[in-house]
Amino acid sequence: LVYRRATLSDVPALVDYRVRFLNELHKHPENGETTVIRKSLLAYFTKAIPSGDFIAWVAERDGIIVGTSGLVVWEKPAVYGVESGKLGYLLNFYTIREERGRGIATRLLNELINEARLLGLKYLHLHASKDGEPIYRKAGFAEPQMPELALKLEQKPTKLKTG
């Protein structure tokens, strides 16, 4: 296996493996919605990789990508402990079925943790699938001190009130 940082030439594989992951996780069929997701991912990776907002590592066997990973670098206002405001969010971990259980995701995770350290990031966040959770816990990921809450916004057109 060869492990390396992804480049723009890897974007089609990053898109494909992200969709495979989402489809497996959500038991979602390929359909028109998937086409929209693919276009959005293509645009995102094409922009975010050169800017450094997204860093990916891949695993290759005989020149074919068999595993992917990703780190989104984002910024929020500074807080104590994260004076730069820069944080990392890990996602896009996917290994093809034939290669699972061989430590590929662990190695990709370690590469991204090293990238995060080089960038001076102090915290990494992620949402773990059931299959991935043991890998992340073994690497030291723990429950956050404050739980993350989410609000799904329905897309209803509204008028903003002005003075």
Side-chain angles (χ1 to χ4, degrees), residues 45-66:
F45 291 138
T46 301
K47 180 183 100 180
I49 289 174
S51 73
D53 291 338
F54 184 80
I55 298 166
W57 273 74
V58 297
E60 285 182 330
R61 182 178 301 285
D62 300 324
I64 297 170
I65 294 176
V66 297

Side-chain angles (χ1 to χ4, degrees), residues 15 22-23 33 41 43 56-57 63 76 80 89 112 127 148 151:
V15 169
L22 293 171
N23 288 351
E33 188 178 21
L41 289 169
W57 273 74
K76 67 177 193 170
Y80 294 112
Y89 187 81
L112 287 179
H127 285 92
E148 181 174 302
L151 171 65

Side-chain angles (χ1 to χ4, degrees), residues 4 6 9-11 13-14 17 20 57-68 94 96:
R4 63 175 177 78
S9 65
D10 298 312
V11 167
L14 294 174
Y17 285 26
R20 286 187 196 190
W57 273 74
V58 297
E60 285 182 330
R61 182 178 301 285
D62 300 324
I64 297 170
I65 294 176
V66 297
T68 62
Y94 185 81
I96 63 171

Side-chain angles (χ1 to χ4, degrees), residues 34-148:
T34 310
T35 302
V36 172
I37 293 289
R38 284 183 184 280
K39 287 179 184 175
S40 180
L41 289 169
L42 179 63
Y44 174 78
F45 291 138
T46 301
K47 180 183 100 180
I49 289 174
S51 73
D53 291 338
F54 184 80
I55 298 166
W57 273 74
V58 297
E60 285 182 330
R61 182 178 301 285
D62 300 324
I64 297 170
I65 294 176
V66 297
T68 62
S69 64
L71 167 64
V72 175
V73 179
W74 60 285
E75 191 171 352
K76 67 177 193 170
V79 296
Y80 294 112
V82 187
E83 293 79 8
S84 71
K86 289 189 178 183
L87 299 166
Y89 187 81
L90 296 172
L91 73 158
N92 225 41
F93 282 83
Y94 185 81
T95 304
I96 63 171
R97 288 188 192 279
E98 305 82 53
E99 296 285 345
R100 292 180 185 169
R102 298 182 181 174
I104 293 172
T106 299
R107 172 73 185 270
L108 293 171
L109 174 62
N110 289 333
E111 295 294 350
L112 287 179
I113 289 172
N114 286 333
E115 290 270 1
R117 286 187 175 120
L118 289 171
L119 292 170
L121 302 182
K122 293 188 178 180
Y123 290 96
L124 293 174
H125 302 266
L126 57 80
H127 285 92
S129 68
K130 195 168 213 155
D131 291 337
E133 189 173 354
I135 295 166
Y136 304 124
R137 289 200 182 274
K138 188 175 179 183
F141 285 81
E143 301 294 326
Q145 290 179 347
M146 292 185 281
E148 181 174 302

